Amino acid sequence: MSRHIDELGRAGRDLYQYFSAGRTTLWNPAVWHAAARTDEVAVSRRHGLVRYRRGAGEDTAAFARRIRTLRTPDAEEPHGTESGDGDGVAAVERAAAGKRVLLAVVNGGAAPEKVSGTVYRLLPGPVDGCGLDRVAAGDLVASLG
């Protein structure tokens, strides 16, 4: 009986450590993909689009850490209010248009023109018809290695 109690106690401690340390979300693998594959990353935030450019001598881990923590962006572009673009759809479409991209979004509302690459989206929307290859969460994680 005491062996089972010890095992339950150990499982409880493990669960506590796992959940108290914070959760990994799909934001983390999306950042790693972006930092490993390009020198310029755009992130849509509530207030606007922030851009990160890899600095001279900045390795992938440092670049990813700067993006993941949303520190020291190289440029910021407020979301337009004249077009009712409070959620940044138009800014994302402008940033991605005509490029090869990895677009990782919660809402599939953006549909950039003349775009190629990959999209991970949590919720469906117009992005599903814009020509990007759609991947699931497991694909995003598994392709890291």
Side-chain angles (χ1 to χ4, degrees), residues 8-108:
L8 284 173
R10 193 175 11 243
R13 281 190 305 277
D14 290 347
L15 284 170
Y16 175 78
Q17 286 177 340
Y18 174 78
F19 286 107
S20 66
R23 289 183 315 162
T24 296
T25 66
L26 287 174
W27 167 247
N28 294 312
V31 167
W32 275 103
H33 275 281
R37 291 182 167 91
T38 189
D39 292 331
E40 184 175 342
V41 175
V43 178
S44 181
R45 303 276 302 161
R46 181 169 295 168
H47 64 281
L49 197 69
V50 292
R51 295 176 186 267
Y52 296 88
R53 288 181 198 86
R54 185 186 311 271
E58 187 174 33
D59 66 12
T60 299
F63 189 40
R65 186 171 31 260
R66 191 161 56 98
I67 298 164
R68 186 178 51 78
T69 59
L70 300 168
R71 289 198 194 128
T72 59
D74 296 297
E76 297 186 47
E77 172 188 335
H79 291 316
T81 55
E82 66 281 349
S83 64
D85 185 32
D87 62 358
V89 169
V92 169
E93 289 175 345
R94 283 191 306 275
K99 296 179 181 166
R100 179 158 182 76
V101 299
L102 165 64
L103 190 59
V105 295
V106 173
N107 186 326

